[in-house]
Each structure stands twice: as structure tokens, then as C-alpha cells.
Amino acid sequence: MTFIINGEEQQVAAVTLADLLTALDYEGEWLATAVNGELVHREERSGFSLGERDRIEILSPMQGG
Amino acid sequence: MLTLYGTSVSSRLLLGTARYPSPAILAEAVRASRTDIVTVSLRRETVGGKAGGAFFELIRTLGVRVLPNTAGCHTVSEAVLTAKMARDVFSTDWIKLEVIGNHDTLQPDVFALVEAARILSGEGFKVFPYTTDDLVVAERLLEAGCNVLMPWCAPIGSAMGPVNLPALRSMRANFPEVPLIVDAGIGRPSHAATVMELGFDAVLLNTAVAGAVDPAAMAAAFTGAIDAGRIAFHAGMLEPRDMAVPSTPVIGKAVFS
């Protein structure tokens, strides 16, 4: 399916958000995810089904002021 | 002790974690500052990237409380979603709420700020709003559920120091019971001492330490200045006078001619 991941269009074979993270080699308890502007909690990712052209944000901790 | 949303902390310096020359120097500065609270952010992680993880681990080892921010957000919805994502990652309901309204001055959009503060407070967040020194906005933020206010004293990163002392004085006088933290615009320790002398409860800064030649030494200098300002506020300072007043008593002075 085609997704917009962190602003970039990408084709990934994934049914759930957890699948997508694995497919793209994202791992770690520090990641935060949102789909189409809504937070998807860590524990909800494996049951969260994705759709064509879903907008997915994958964020992680960064230095900040 | 300073109490923020029921949590007491001994340090009155909140330190940002950005712009240090290296993670090791950031860690040194945090330790030298003896701060209890550091600010952090969230950004897009690159595919397969591990940058966030390394930073996350570094912060954990420092043993400080984390105050995530919504830096870079320009709308209510961006700020609210970022706050929720930060809570998911950092496991804290504290959020430094920034909604930027002007690209050049990084002045907060106070209308969006109040709305975002109301939404987040309603969802259980403990909101630390980055705001201006406007009293009416401050009142609205308190009504929205904020128990702490963080007015700027000058634009972020400008190092100008407090540009409107009467406004800061007025804020302190209007909200005597609200923890007030000066956030943004501090450039040097004397600026921090000045706002602490006005009775502000704490100072949040980043660039003034991170951009110093020796960040750890500057962090320690700020801590000293903040302590000095706080003690001076409680000790009761003299008000300026127009005329000289001799400090040495004139009674009993010798007359030589």
C-alpha cells in the first residue's frame, strides 16, 4: 500500500501499524506514532489497520529548549 | 522549594537540552547546573534511525525530570497532537506548551495557546504555557487550567535579557500565588538574577548555556545567579534614590579647620 510517512510517499507491504514499523526497521520504546492526525498508542499498533494513503507520523525524542 | 503541579523541586533552573556541542557536554552542563528538570522535544525519526533512542537513554541516565515541549507547532491541533505523542513516549503529563505565532520573533500565538491549554488541561495534562507578559492572557491561561505560567522576557534565543521589567513586575504583583517561570530571552547570569530579584520563581533557559564557550561552567554560573537573586528577593532590597546617602556616619566626624 502507499502511505505518507513523515511527509514522504512510500510503498510498504503492511497491514497494521506495527507491521509497517517492523518493515521499515523502526524499533524502540521511544517512538511515538500518529495516523491521520490521531495518536496511536504503543500498545494499539499491532491492532491498528492501515488504509491506502494514510498519513503516518513517527516521532522520537530530540533535544529541545 | 519550588512546587509545580504538586511536585517539589529544589533547583530553580529548568534547562533546555538543545544546541550543545556534544551529548557529553550536554550531560556535563546538566550535572553542573544541578537542575531537576530538563526540556526535550519530539521530531520525525528517519527510517531505521536510532538517533532518538540514544538521546532518550542519555536523558534517562541523568536522573532528571523531563518536560517535553511542543516547539515548532503553529496550530492548536499540531500542539495538542504533539503533546499527546510526547506523553506516550516520555510517560509524563507535563507539557511545555508552545504555539508559535510569528516566524521572526517566535512570539506565541496567545489565542491558540489558550485554546490548546484548555483542551490539554481537560485531558489531564499539566500545562506549562510559554506565553508573553500580557496579564489578560495570563488570566485566561489560568482559567484554562494552567497552574504555572512561563512568560518570555525577550524573544527565544535573543539573549537580550528582560526588555520590559515593569511588565514582569506587574505580572508578579498580579499573580502572587502562581509559580512564574521566565522562559526565553535570558542571555547571561545577571539577567537571571534580575528576574529572580523581581520575585520570579524560576528560570528556563537553553541557548545561554549551550552556546557558551564552556557550557558546564556557564550552567554553574546561572545556578549561582539564580540562587543569589532568590535570596536577595527574600532579603528585601533597597530602592534606588535620587541623592547620595553617606554610608559612613557623620556624627563624631573630626573637624580639621
Side-chain angles (χ1 to χ4, degrees):
Chain A
M1 271 194 288
T2 303
F3 305 108
I4 316 298
I5 302 168
N6 285 349
E8 306 253 330
E9 192 172 303
Q10 271 186 271
Q11 300 236 340
V12 185
V15 175
T16 67
L17 183 56
D19 293 341
L20 180 122
L21 292 177
T22 304
L24 294 178
D25 199 25
Y26 281 106
E27 57 179 35
E29 57 183 307
W30 58 82
L31 297 172
T33 49
V35 177
N36 298 328
E38 296 290 334
L39 172 72
V40 180
H41 289 288
R42 219 174 300 176
E43 58 273 21
E44 294 167 354
R45 288 175 196 150
S46 57
F48 193 97
S49 297
L50 296 174
E52 184 71 17
R53 300 200 67 79
D54 273 352
R55 289 176 294 109
I56 298 153
E57 290 289 328
I58 304 165
L59 307 187
S60 73
M62 272 283 291
Q63 296 82 349
Chain B
M1 293 283 270
L2 171 62
T3 302
L4 303 168
Y5 288 104
T7 297
S8 294
V9 292
S10 54
S11 170
R12 291 176 181 272
L13 169 61
L14 290 76
L15 193 60
T17 55
R19 296 175 168 268
Y20 291 83
S22 71
I25 293 174
L26 161 63
E28 276 176 33
V30 169
R31 290 193 191 98
S33 73
R34 289 183 275 123
T35 186
D36 295 306
I37 301 168
V38 297
T39 55
V40 294
S41 193
L42 280 181
R43 284 291 180 272
R44 285 172 167 172
E45 181 68 284
T46 53
V47 173
K50 302 287 182 285
F55 177 66
F56 193 59
E57 289 306 318
L58 172 66
I59 295 300
R60 274 185 171 177
T61 63
L62 295 173
V64 288
R65 184 175 273 271
V66 166
L67 175 60
N69 69 24
T70 62
C73 292
H74 287 76
T75 66
V76 172
S77 58
E78 277 178 355
V80 168
L81 178 56
T82 302
K84 289 178 181 176
M85 294 178 85
R87 180 162 67 178
D88 207 39
V89 168
F90 296 109
S91 304
T92 177
D93 50 14
W94 283 17
I95 191 75
K96 175 182 162 180
L97 182 60
E98 291 184 37
V99 189
I100 300 301
N102 183 287
H103 287 282
D104 294 325
T105 63
L106 298 180
Q107 180 168 350
D109 175 342
V110 294
F111 306 98
L113 180 70
V114 170
E115 193 183 339
R118 184 172 293 115
I119 293 168
L120 290 171
S121 297
E123 298 203 15
F125 282 89
K126 312 286 194 298
V127 178
F128 294 65
Y130 159 64
T131 184
T132 65
D133 52 27
D134 187 293
L135 296 181
V136 180
V137 172
E139 193 65 58
R140 296 286 182 275
L141 287 167
L142 297 175
E143 289 166 9
C146 299
N147 289 343
V148 173
L149 297 172
M150 301 211 298
W152 68 352
C153 77
I156 294 174
S158 70
M160 280 195 268
V163 294
N164 192 346
L165 287 176
L168 293 179
R169 268 196 208 100
S170 177
M171 200 162 194
R172 180 70 287 174
N174 270 269
F175 306 105
E177 305 301 328
V178 178
L180 297 180
I181 301 170
V182 168
D183 175 13
I186 298 274
R188 47 187 64 196
S190 56
H191 297 155
T194 297
V195 299
M196 294 303 290
E197 286 172 3
L198 296 180
F200 276 74
D201 295 282
V203 168
L204 194 164
L205 51 88
N206 188 153
T207 314
V209 167
V213 173
D214 183 343
M218 188 59 78
F222 268 105
T223 295
I226 289 165
D227 286 347
R230 181 71 185 168
I231 294 166
F233 170 67
H234 283 297
M237 285 163 290
L238 289 182
E239 290 305 314
R241 302 163 188 180
D242 290 334
M243 301 296 287
V245 180
S247 48
T248 304
V250 291
I251 297 170
K253 178 180 172 296
V255 179
F256 296 114
S257 59

